Amino acid sequence: MNRTKDTARFARIADKVRANEALDADDGLFLYTYPDLLAVGALANERREALHGDKTFFNVNFHINPTNVCVADCKFCSFARLEPDAPAAYTMSIDEVKQKLLDRMDQPVTEIHIVNGLHHHLPLDYYKDCLRELKALRPDIHLKAYTAVEIHYFAEKYGMSYTQVLSELKEAGLDSMPGGGAEIFAERARRKLCRGKADADEWLAVHRAAHELGIRTNCTMLYGTVETLEERIDHMLRLRDLQAETGGFQTFIPLAFHADNNSLQKLPPPTGVDNLRTYAVSRLMLHNIAHIKAYWIMIGIKTAQISLSFGVDDLDGTVQEEKIYHMAGAETPQALSRVDLVRLIREAGRVAVERDTLYNERWTDDGEALDGIRIDASLPYSTQGQGVRLNVL
Ligand code: V47
């Protein structure tokens, strides 16, 4: 390796980043293989600070997965059950879905994240009723619901266009969409991972249709399975192209593969270096997407905290009742309180900002108390409200 030449190439890329120019695929691959991880991280951090300063966003949310019954046999998935009567398959009634919110009516929740398996038989009304009934209970709550893969499935199953499905769901209460189901766009890898479900063009077309209806969406990339670095960069570039067209993506969330209880169990998990580098490269490649989120549930609290110096500006939220990753072996807690999140962010030298789903700022850490609770940075986080004190969410 020619170090002098490499340093000069890195400096040229840094100039492009500082001028907010789009990096190309070769630049992305270079950043993925450049030996000085901290230099790549520092460049991503520079970009993060140019966009957001020290602000680090989180929200108060929880997840509902109304059914895990799914026709798709994705090799990386530990959550789905392929038949409605398979062991551990479940489908909640609308009343059970409502109960999830009724159990939390005293919490300052601003968002519910709703994702399902692709159920064989449920009518579209089931998905609309979920939204309608939750909105009836808490009209102010933001419903971030249904992935592009679900919308594509509904469109095929009920003979509707993406726009028709999305319009009906919007009318029933859908406010925005999560970024799941993107996996990795490259056809070669997708065939091995999730043959038969929405392909890259279909996933992107659903998001385009959502953006045209004014529905903001997130985007993700599942990494650490069978994909190459070239395929990761290709994935980012396809997202960047759609963003240039519509501007509808809010945040990009790299998702590190978890191998327990699925058919890819033999794969080693992504390393700490790979995780941090992927956050940094994402920040640098996706210059037109405002936020990079580290989903602490999946990456672990420790790496999530460090990622705040590698391009990340968002830690998702309190979460509560996560199933998809915990069934795949995630060892993180089921929830973090607001106090925990603020302390983790403060300790990383950043300023915690509680946001709503659309990144309107609701509360900014001024070093003082949060809702009357003194945030004590000298206590280990587990002592101060780690999921057990959900009343202080
Ligand atoms: O689409 C499933 C991934 C996604 C595994 O939009 C796995 O705010 C790793 O999209 N190992 C669902 N990854 C989660 C998701 C998400 C999460 C948090 C916030 C948002 C948002 C979106 O999780 C799936 C798939 O790509 N996934 N199984 C696994 N074993």
Side-chain angles (χ1 to χ4, degrees), residues 76 113 144 178-181 183 218 222 253 256-258 293 325 328:
F76 53 81
H113 172 125
K144 181 180 75 177
E183 323 314 359
N218 291 341
L222 173 68
I253 312 148
F257 175 58
H258 269 266
K293 185 193 279 189
Y325 283 102

Side-chain angles (χ1 to χ4, degrees), residues 37-56:
L37 171 69
L38 291 184
V40 179
L43 191 58
N45 187 53
E46 210 180 300
R47 189 75 205 118
R48 178 244 202 259
E49 290 185 357
L51 286 164
H52 308 293
D54 280 330
K55 285 182 183 173
T56 298

Side-chain angles (χ1 to χ4, degrees), residues 37-223:
L37 171 69
L38 291 184
V40 179
L43 191 58
N45 187 53
E46 210 180 300
R47 189 75 205 118
R48 178 244 202 259
E49 290 185 357
L51 286 164
H52 308 293
D54 280 330
K55 285 182 183 173
T56 298
F57 299 93
F58 71 95
N59 72 354
V60 182
N61 64 346
F62 75 94
H63 287 213
I64 309 180
N65 302 120
T67 180
N68 67 349
V69 175
C70 191
V71 299
D73 184 13
C74 298
K75 301 303 171 208
F76 53 81
C77 184
S78 317
F79 166 71
R81 294 295 175 270
L82 298 184
E83 293 298 334
D85 55 359
Y90 70 85
T91 300
M92 294 180 194
S93 65
I94 301 292
D95 279 346
E96 286 170 321
V97 172
K98 277 169 67 180
Q99 193 59 44
K100 296 283 175 198
L101 178 54
L102 286 168
D103 290 344
R104 297 178 171 82
M105 289 299 270
D106 59 340
Q107 294 179 6
V109 171
T110 60
E111 169 193 285
I112 312 180
H113 172 125
I114 310 171
V115 171
N116 295 284
L118 307 177
H119 196 285
H120 308 56
H121 313 302
L122 289 172
L124 189 59
D125 277 345
Y126 175 86
Y127 304 94
K128 291 204 273 189
D129 288 348
C130 280
L131 300 171
R132 254 193 218 111
E133 295 290 333
L134 292 169
K135 275 281 180 191
L137 285 175
R138 279 275 308 270
D140 57 311
I141 221 156
H142 183 109
L143 299 179
K144 181 180 75 177
Y146 311 143
T147 66
V149 168
E150 288 172 81
I151 304 298
H152 170 78
Y153 180 68
F154 300 155
E156 287 211 318
K157 192 170 176 59
Y158 311 119
M160 298 163 77
S161 68
Y162 297 152
T163 304
Q164 281 170 329
V165 173
L166 287 164
S167 304
E168 289 198 16
L169 292 172
K170 188 177 178 194
E171 194 273 323
L174 180 132
D175 294 304
S176 72
M177 281 169 55
E183 323 314 359
I184 201 85
F185 288 146
E187 184 52 31
R188 184 202 69 83
R190 219 172 168 81
R191 242 192 332 261
K192 293 189 177 171
L193 292 174
C194 50
R195 185 192 284 274
K197 82 174 185 188
D199 66 18
D201 288 340
E202 289 161 342
W203 189 97
L204 290 163
V206 171
H207 282 262
R208 183 180 290 108
H211 297 169
E212 279 165 4
L213 290 172
I215 299 170
R216 304 299 301 270
T217 71
N218 291 341
C219 50
T220 59
M221 174 180 77
L222 173 68
Y223 68 96

